[in-house]
Amino acid sequence: MVLNAVPPSASHILADARAAVAVHGLEVAPVSLRQRAAYVHALTAGQTAQEYEPQGKAAEEMTKLYRWLRRILQALS
């Protein structure tokens, strides 16, 4: 499970959400997607966060999420 739209400066909300999901036995991705303006701007421009702002925090989050998912999927095959 990927936690999405987490407020950037609210680490307590992220911790609470992780704990709530863990109670149900679900695995939570180590990468969460925060509320970032770049996601909104990229959407309206028809781009991804990486295309819109390649060096931004949103692009960094997506890259980390992709790498984590790739490792998980490779381990399954």
Coordinates of all heavy atoms in Angstrom, one line a residue:
M1 N 0.8 -1.2 0.0 CA 0.0 0.0 0.0 C 0.9 1.2 0.0 O 1.9 1.3 0.7 CB -0.9 0.0 1.2 CG -1.6 1.3 1.4 SD -2.8 1.3 2.8 CE -4.1 0.5 2.0
V2 N 0.5 2.2 -0.8 CA 1.3 3.5 -0.9 C 0.4 4.6 -0.2 O -0.8 4.7 -0.6 CB 1.6 3.9 -2.3 CG1 2.3 5.2 -2.4 CG2 2.4 2.8 -3.0
L3 N 0.9 5.2 0.7 CA 0.2 6.3 1.3 C 0.4 7.6 0.4 O 1.5 7.9 0.1 CB 0.8 6.6 2.8 CG 0.6 5.4 3.7 CD1 1.2 5.7 5.1 CD2 -0.9 5.1 3.9
N4 N -0.7 8.2 0.1 CA -0.7 9.3 -0.9 C -1.3 10.5 -0.3 O -2.1 10.5 0.6 CB -1.5 8.8 -2.1 CG -1.4 9.7 -3.3 OD1 -0.6 10.6 -3.4 ND2 -2.3 9.5 -4.2
A5 N -0.8 11.7 -0.8 CA -1.3 13.0 -0.4 C -1.1 13.3 1.1 O -1.9 13.9 1.7 CB -2.8 13.2 -0.8
V6 N 0.0 12.8 1.6 CA 0.4 13.1 3.0 C 0.9 14.5 3.1 O 1.8 14.9 2.3 CB 1.5 12.1 3.4 CG1 1.9 12.4 4.8 CG2 1.0 10.7 3.2
P7 N 0.4 15.3 4.0 CA 1.0 16.6 4.2 C 2.5 16.6 4.4 O 3.0 15.8 5.2 CB 0.2 17.2 5.5 CG -1.0 16.3 5.6 CD -0.6 15.0 5.0
P8 N 3.2 17.5 3.7 CA 4.7 17.4 3.7 C 5.3 17.6 5.1 O 6.3 17.0 5.4 CB 5.1 18.6 2.8 CG 3.9 18.9 2.0 CD 2.7 18.5 2.8
S9 N 4.7 18.4 6.0 CA 5.4 18.6 7.3 C 4.6 18.0 8.4 O 4.8 18.4 9.6 CB 5.5 20.2 7.5 OG 4.2 20.7 7.5
A10 N 3.9 17.0 8.2 CA 3.1 16.4 9.2 C 3.5 14.9 9.4 O 2.8 14.0 9.1 CB 1.6 16.4 8.9
S11 N 4.7 14.7 10.0 CA 5.3 13.4 10.2 C 4.4 12.6 11.1 O 4.4 11.3 11.0 CB 6.7 13.5 10.7 OG 6.8 14.2 11.9
H12 N 3.7 13.2 12.1 CA 2.9 12.5 13.0 C 1.7 11.9 12.2 O 1.2 10.8 12.6 CB 2.4 13.4 14.1 CG 1.5 14.5 13.7 ND1 2.0 15.6 13.1 CD2 0.2 14.7 13.8 CE1 1.1 16.5 12.8 NE2 -0.1 15.9 13.2
I13 N 1.1 12.5 11.2 CA 0.0 12.0 10.4 C 0.5 10.8 9.7 O -0.2 9.8 9.6 CB -0.6 13.1 9.5 CG1 -1.3 14.1 10.3 CG2 -1.5 12.4 8.5 CD1 -1.8 15.3 9.5
L14 N 1.7 10.9 9.1 CA 2.3 9.7 8.4 C 2.5 8.5 9.3 O 2.1 7.4 9.0 CB 3.6 10.1 7.7 CG 4.3 9.0 7.0 CD1 3.5 8.5 5.8 CD2 5.6 9.6 6.4
A15 N 3.0 8.8 10.5 CA 3.2 7.7 11.5 C 1.9 7.1 11.9 O 1.8 5.8 12.0 CB 4.0 8.2 12.7
D16 N 0.9 7.9 12.1 CA -0.4 7.4 12.5 C -1.1 6.6 11.4 O -1.7 5.5 11.6 CB -1.4 8.6 12.8 CG -1.0 9.2 14.1 OD1 -0.2 8.7 14.9 OD2 -1.6 10.3 14.4
A17 N -0.9 7.0 10.1 CA -1.5 6.3 9.0 C -0.8 4.9 8.8 O -1.4 3.9 8.6 CB -1.3 7.1 7.7
R18 N 0.6 4.9 9.0 CA 1.3 3.7 8.9 C 0.8 2.7 9.9 O 0.6 1.5 9.7 CB 2.8 3.9 9.0 CG 3.4 4.5 7.8 CD 4.9 4.7 8.0 NE 5.6 5.4 6.9 CZ 5.9 4.8 5.7 NH1 5.6 3.6 5.5 NH2 6.4 5.6 4.8
A19 N 0.7 3.2 11.1 CA 0.2 2.3 12.3 C -1.2 1.8 12.0 O -1.5 0.6 12.3 CB 0.3 3.1 13.6
A20 N -2.1 2.6 11.5 CA -3.5 2.2 11.2 C -3.5 1.1 10.2 O -4.3 0.2 10.3 CB -4.3 3.4 10.8
V21 N -2.7 1.2 9.1 CA -2.7 0.2 8.1 C -2.0 -1.0 8.6 O -2.5 -2.1 8.3 CB -1.9 0.8 6.8 CG1 -1.7 -0.3 5.8 CG2 -2.7 2.0 6.2
A22 N -1.0 -0.9 9.4 CA -0.3 -2.1 9.9 C -1.2 -3.0 10.7 O -1.1 -4.2 10.8 CB 0.9 -1.7 10.7
V23 N -2.2 -2.4 11.4 CA -3.1 -3.1 12.3 C -3.9 -4.1 11.4 O -4.3 -5.2 11.9 CB -4.1 -2.1 13.0 CG1 -5.3 -2.9 13.5 CG2 -3.4 -1.3 14.0
H24 N -4.1 -3.8 10.2 CA -4.9 -4.7 9.3 C -4.0 -5.7 8.5 O -4.4 -6.4 7.6 CB -5.7 -3.9 8.3 CG -6.7 -3.0 8.9 ND1 -7.8 -3.5 9.5 CD2 -6.7 -1.6 9.2 CE1 -8.5 -2.5 10.1 NE2 -7.8 -1.4 9.9
G25 N -2.7 -5.7 8.9 CA -1.8 -6.7 8.3 C -1.3 -6.3 6.9 O -0.8 -7.2 6.2
L26 N -1.5 -5.1 6.5 CA -1.1 -4.7 5.1 C 0.3 -4.2 5.1 O 0.7 -3.5 6.1 CB -2.0 -3.6 4.6 CG -3.5 -4.1 4.4 CD1 -4.4 -2.9 4.0 CD2 -3.6 -5.2 3.4
E27 N 1.1 -4.4 4.1 CA 2.4 -3.9 4.0 C 2.3 -2.5 3.5 O 1.6 -2.2 2.5 CB 3.3 -4.7 3.0 CG 4.7 -4.2 2.9 CD 5.5 -5.1 2.0 OE1 5.0 -6.0 1.4 OE2 6.7 -4.7 1.8
V28 N 3.1 -1.6 4.1 CA 3.1 -0.2 3.7 C 4.4 0.1 3.0 O 5.5 -0.2 3.5 CB 2.9 0.8 4.9 CG1 2.9 2.2 4.4 CG2 1.6 0.4 5.6
A29 N 4.3 0.7 1.8 CA 5.6 1.1 1.1 C 6.4 2.0 2.0 O 5.9 2.9 2.7 CB 5.2 1.8 -0.2
P30 N 7.7 1.9 1.9 CA 8.6 2.8 2.7 C 8.6 4.2 2.1 O 9.1 5.1 2.8 CB 10.0 2.1 2.6 CG 9.9 1.4 1.3 CD 8.5 0.9 1.2
V31 N 8.0 4.4 1.0 CA 8.0 5.7 0.3 C 6.5 6.1 0.3 O 5.6 5.4 -0.1 CB 8.5 5.6 -1.2 CG1 8.4 6.9 -1.8 CG2 9.9 5.0 -1.2
S32 N 6.3 7.4 0.8 CA 4.9 7.9 0.7 C 5.0 9.1 -0.2 O 6.0 9.7 -0.5 CB 4.5 8.4 2.1 OG 5.4 9.4 2.6
L33 N 3.8 9.4 -0.8 CA 3.7 10.5 -1.7 C 3.1 11.7 -1.0 O 2.0 11.5 -0.4 CB 2.9 10.1 -3.0 CG 3.4 8.9 -3.7 CD1 2.5 8.6 -4.9 CD2 4.8 9.2 -4.2
R34 N 3.8 12.8 -0.9 CA 3.3 13.9 -0.2 C 2.5 14.8 -1.0 O 2.4 14.7 -2.3 CB 4.5 14.7 0.4 CG 5.5 13.9 1.2 CD 4.9 13.5 2.5 NE 5.8 12.7 3.3 CZ 6.1 13.0 4.5 NH1 5.6 14.1 5.1 NH2 6.9 12.3 5.2
Q35 N 1.7 15.8 -0.4 CA 1.0 16.8 -1.1 C 2.0 17.8 -1.7 O 2.7 18.5 -1.0 CB 0.0 17.5 -0.2 CG -1.1 16.7 0.3 CD -1.9 17.5 1.3 OE1 -1.5 18.4 1.9 NE2 -3.2 17.0 1.5
R36 N 2.1 17.8 -3.0 CA 3.1 18.6 -3.7 C 2.5 19.4 -4.8 O 1.7 18.8 -5.6 CB 4.3 17.8 -4.2 CG 4.9 16.9 -3.2 CD 6.3 17.3 -2.9 NE 6.9 16.4 -2.0 CZ 7.4 16.7 -0.8 NH1 7.4 18.0 -0.4 NH2 8.0 15.8 0.0
A37 N 2.8 20.6 -4.9 CA 2.2 21.4 -6.0 C 2.6 20.9 -7.4 O 1.9 20.9 -8.4 CB 2.7 22.9 -5.9
A38 N 3.8 20.3 -7.5 CA 4.3 19.7 -8.7 C 3.3 18.6 -9.3 O 3.2 18.5 -10.5 CB 5.7 19.1 -8.6
Y39 N 2.7 17.9 -8.4 CA 1.8 16.8 -8.9 C 0.6 17.5 -9.6 O 0.1 17.1 -10.6 CB 1.3 16.0 -7.8 CG 2.3 15.0 -7.2 CD1 2.6 15.0 -5.8 CD2 3.0 14.1 -8.0 CE1 3.5 14.2 -5.3 CE2 4.0 13.3 -7.5 CZ 4.2 13.3 -6.1 OH 5.1 12.5 -5.6
V40 N 0.1 18.6 -9.0 CA -1.1 19.3 -9.6 C -0.7 20.0 -10.9 O -1.4 19.9 -11.9 CB -1.6 20.3 -8.6 CG1 -2.8 21.1 -9.2 CG2 -2.1 19.6 -7.3
H41 N 0.4 20.7 -10.9 CA 0.9 21.4 -12.1 C 1.2 20.4 -13.2 O 0.8 20.6 -14.4 CB 2.1 22.2 -11.8 CG 1.9 23.4 -10.9 ND1 1.0 24.4 -11.1 CD2 2.4 23.6 -9.7 CE1 1.0 25.2 -10.2 NE2 1.8 24.8 -9.2
A42 N 1.8 19.3 -12.9 CA 2.1 18.3 -13.9 C 0.8 17.7 -14.5 O 0.7 17.5 -15.7 CB 2.9 17.1 -13.3
L43 N -0.2 17.4 -13.7 CA -1.5 16.9 -14.1 C -2.1 17.9 -15.1 O -2.6 17.5 -16.2 CB -2.4 16.6 -12.9 CG -3.8 16.1 -13.3 CD1 -3.7 14.7 -13.9 CD2 -4.6 16.1 -12.0
T44 N -2.2 19.1 -14.8 CA -2.8 20.1 -15.7 C -2.0 20.3 -16.9 O -2.6 20.7 -18.0 CB -3.1 21.4 -15.0 OG1 -1.8 22.0 -14.5 CG2 -4.0 21.3 -13.8
A45 N -0.7 20.0 -16.9 CA 0.1 20.2 -18.1 C 0.2 18.9 -18.9 O 0.8 18.8 -19.9 CB 1.5 20.6 -17.7
G46 N -0.5 17.8 -18.4 CA -0.5 16.5 -19.1 C 0.9 15.9 -19.0 O 1.3 15.1 -19.9
Q47 N 1.6 16.1 -17.9 CA 2.9 15.5 -17.7 C 3.0 14.7 -16.4 O 2.0 14.8 -15.6 CB 4.0 16.6 -17.6 CG 4.1 17.4 -18.9 CD 5.1 18.5 -18.7 OE1 5.1 19.2 -17.7 NE2 5.9 18.7 -19.7
T48 N 4.1 14.0 -16.2 CA 4.4 13.4 -14.9 C 5.1 14.4 -14.1 O 5.6 15.4 -14.6 CB 5.2 12.1 -15.1 OG1 6.5 12.5 -15.6 CG2 4.5 11.1 -16.0
A49 N 5.3 14.1 -12.8 CA 6.0 15.0 -11.9 C 7.5 15.0 -12.4 O 8.1 16.1 -12.3 CB 6.0 14.5 -10.5
Q50 N 8.0 13.9 -12.9 CA 9.4 13.9 -13.3 C 9.6 14.8 -14.6 O 10.6 15.4 -14.8 CB 9.8 12.5 -13.7 CG 9.9 11.6 -12.5 CD 8.6 10.8 -12.3 OE1 7.5 11.3 -12.6 NE2 8.7 9.6 -11.8
E51 N 8.6 14.8 -15.4 CA 8.7 15.7 -16.6 C 8.5 17.1 -16.3 O 9.2 18.0 -16.8 CB 7.6 15.3 -17.6 CG 7.8 13.9 -18.3 CD 6.6 13.5 -19.0 OE1 5.4 13.7 -18.6 OE2 6.8 12.8 -20.1
Y52 N 7.6 17.4 -15.4 CA 7.3 18.8 -15.0 C 8.4 19.5 -14.3 O 8.8 20.6 -14.6 CB 6.0 18.9 -14.2 CG 5.6 20.3 -13.9 CD1 5.1 21.1 -14.8 CD2 5.9 20.8 -12.6 CE1 4.7 22.4 -14.5 CE2 5.6 22.1 -12.3 CZ 5.0 22.9 -13.2 OH 4.7 24.2 -12.9
E53 N 8.9 18.8 -13.3 CA 10.0 19.3 -12.4 C 11.0 18.2 -12.1 O 10.9 17.6 -11.0 CB 9.4 19.9 -11.2 CG 10.3 20.7 -10.3 CD 9.5 21.3 -9.1 OE1 8.8 20.6 -8.4 OE2 9.7 22.5 -8.9
P54 N 11.9 17.9 -13.0 CA 12.8 16.7 -12.9 C 13.6 16.7 -11.6 O 13.9 15.6 -11.1 CB 13.7 16.8 -14.1 CG 13.0 17.6 -15.1 CD 12.1 18.6 -14.3
Q55 N 14.0 17.8 -11.1 CA 14.8 17.9 -9.9 C 14.1 18.1 -8.6 O 14.6 18.3 -7.6 CB 15.9 18.9 -10.1 CG 16.8 18.8 -11.3 CD 17.5 17.4 -11.4 OE1 18.0 16.9 -10.4 NE2 17.5 16.8 -12.6
G56 N 12.7 18.1 -8.7 CA 11.9 18.4 -7.6 C 11.7 17.3 -6.6 O 12.0 16.1 -6.9
K57 N 11.0 17.6 -5.5 CA 10.8 16.6 -4.5 C 9.7 15.5 -5.0 O 9.9 14.3 -4.6 CB 10.3 17.2 -3.2 CG 11.4 18.0 -2.5 CD 10.9 18.6 -1.2 CE 12.0 19.5 -0.6 NZ 11.5 20.0 0.7
A58 N 8.8 16.0 -5.7 CA 7.8 15.0 -6.3 C 8.4 14.0 -7.2 O 8.1 12.8 -7.1 CB 6.7 15.8 -7.0
A59 N 9.3 14.5 -8.0 CA 10.0 13.6 -8.9 C 10.9 12.6 -8.1 O 11.0 11.4 -8.5 CB 10.9 14.4 -9.9
E60 N 11.5 13.1 -7.1 CA 12.3 12.2 -6.2 C 11.5 11.1 -5.5 O 11.9 10.0 -5.5 CB 13.0 13.1 -5.2 CG 13.9 12.3 -4.2 CD 14.6 13.2 -3.2 OE1 14.7 14.4 -3.4 OE2 15.0 12.7 -2.2
E61 N 10.3 11.5 -5.1 CA 9.4 10.5 -4.4 C 9.0 9.5 -5.4 O 9.0 8.3 -5.1 CB 8.1 11.2 -3.9 CG 8.3 12.1 -2.7 CD 7.1 12.9 -2.4 OE1 6.1 12.9 -3.1 OE2 7.2 13.6 -1.3
M62 N 8.7 9.9 -6.6 CA 8.3 8.9 -7.7 C 9.4 8.0 -8.0 O 9.2 6.8 -8.2 CB 7.7 9.6 -8.9 CG 6.4 10.1 -8.8 SD 5.2 8.8 -8.4 CE 3.7 9.6 -8.4
T63 N 10.6 8.5 -8.1 CA 11.8 7.7 -8.4 C 12.0 6.7 -7.3 O 12.2 5.5 -7.6 CB 13.0 8.6 -8.7 OG1 12.8 9.4 -9.8 CG2 14.2 7.7 -8.9
K64 N 11.9 7.1 -6.1 CA 12.1 6.2 -5.0 C 11.0 5.1 -5.0 O 11.3 3.9 -4.7 CB 12.1 6.9 -3.7 CG 13.4 7.7 -3.4 CD 13.3 8.5 -2.1 CE 14.5 9.3 -1.8 NZ 14.4 10.0 -0.6
L65 N 9.8 5.5 -5.2 CA 8.7 4.5 -5.3 C 8.9 3.5 -6.4 O 8.7 2.3 -6.2 CB 7.3 5.2 -5.4 CG 6.1 4.3 -5.5 CD1 6.0 3.5 -4.2 CD2 4.9 5.2 -5.8
Y66 N 9.3 4.0 -7.6 CA 9.5 3.1 -8.7 C 10.6 2.1 -8.4 O 10.5 0.9 -8.6 CB 9.9 3.9 -9.9 CG 10.5 3.1 -11.0 CD1 9.7 2.3 -11.8 CD2 11.9 3.0 -11.3 CE1 10.2 1.5 -12.8 CE2 12.4 2.2 -12.3 CZ 11.5 1.5 -13.0 OH 12.1 0.7 -14.0
R67 N 11.7 2.6 -7.8 CA 12.8 1.7 -7.4 C 12.4 0.6 -6.4 O 12.8 -0.6 -6.5 CB 14.0 2.5 -6.9 CG 14.7 3.2 -8.0 CD 15.8 4.0 -7.5 NE 16.5 4.8 -8.7 CZ 17.2 5.8 -8.5 NH1 17.5 6.3 -7.3 NH2 17.7 6.4 -9.6
W68 N 11.6 1.0 -5.4 CA 11.1 0.1 -4.4 C 10.2 -1.0 -5.1 O 10.4 -2.2 -4.8 CB 10.4 0.8 -3.3 CG 9.8 -0.1 -2.3 CD1 10.4 -0.8 -1.3 CD2 8.4 -0.5 -2.2 NE1 9.5 -1.5 -0.6 CE2 8.3 -1.4 -1.1 CE3 7.3 -0.1 -2.9 CZ2 7.1 -1.9 -0.7 CZ3 6.1 -0.7 -2.5 CH2 6.0 -1.6 -1.5
L69 N 9.3 -0.5 -5.9 CA 8.4 -1.4 -6.6 C 9.1 -2.4 -7.5 O 8.8 -3.6 -7.6 CB 7.3 -0.7 -7.4 CG 6.2 0.0 -6.6 CD1 5.4 0.9 -7.5 CD2 5.3 -1.1 -6.0
R70 N 10.1 -1.9 -8.2 CA 10.9 -2.8 -9.1 C 11.6 -3.9 -8.3 O 11.6 -5.0 -8.7 CB 11.9 -1.9 -9.8 CG 12.7 -2.7 -10.9 CD 13.6 -1.8 -11.7 NE 14.6 -1.4 -10.8 CZ 15.5 -0.4 -11.1 NH1 15.4 0.2 -12.3 NH2 16.4 -0.1 -10.2
R71 N 12.2 -3.5 -7.1 CA 12.8 -4.5 -6.3 C 11.8 -5.6 -5.8 O 12.1 -6.8 -5.8 CB 13.5 -3.9 -5.1 CG 14.8 -3.2 -5.4 CD 15.6 -2.9 -4.1 NE 14.9 -2.1 -3.2 CZ 14.8 -0.8 -3.2 NH1 15.5 -0.1 -4.1 NH2 14.1 -0.1 -2.2
I72 N 10.6 -5.1 -5.4 CA 9.6 -6.1 -5.0 C 9.2 -7.0 -6.1 O 9.1 -8.2 -5.9 CB 8.3 -5.3 -4.5 CG1 8.7 -4.5 -3.3 CG2 7.2 -6.3 -4.2 CD1 9.0 -5.3 -2.0
L73 N 8.9 -6.5 -7.3 CA 8.5 -7.3 -8.4 C 9.6 -8.2 -8.9 O 9.3 -9.4 -9.3 CB 8.0 -6.4 -9.6 CG 6.8 -5.6 -9.3 CD1 6.5 -4.6 -10.4 CD2 5.6 -6.5 -9.1
Q74 N 10.9 -7.8 -8.9 CA 12.0 -8.7 -9.2 C 12.1 -9.8 -8.3 O 12.4 -11.0 -8.7 CB 13.3 -7.9 -9.3 CG 13.4 -7.0 -10.5 CD 14.6 -6.1 -10.5 OE1 15.2 -5.9 -9.5 NE2 15.0 -5.7 -11.7
A75 N 11.8 -9.6 -7.0 CA 11.9 -10.6 -6.0 C 10.8 -11.7 -6.2 O 11.0 -12.8 -5.8 CB 11.8 -10.0 -4.6
L76 N 9.7 -11.3 -6.8 CA 8.6 -12.2 -7.0 C 8.8 -13.0 -8.2 O 8.1 -14.1 -8.3 CB 7.3 -11.4 -7.1 CG 6.8 -10.6 -5.9 CD1 5.6 -9.8 -6.2 CD2 6.5 -11.6 -4.8
S77 N 9.6 -12.6 -9.1 CA 9.8 -13.4 -10.4 C 10.9 -14.4 -10.3 O 11.6 -14.5 -9.4 CB 10.0 -12.4 -11.6 OG 11.1 -11.6 -11.4

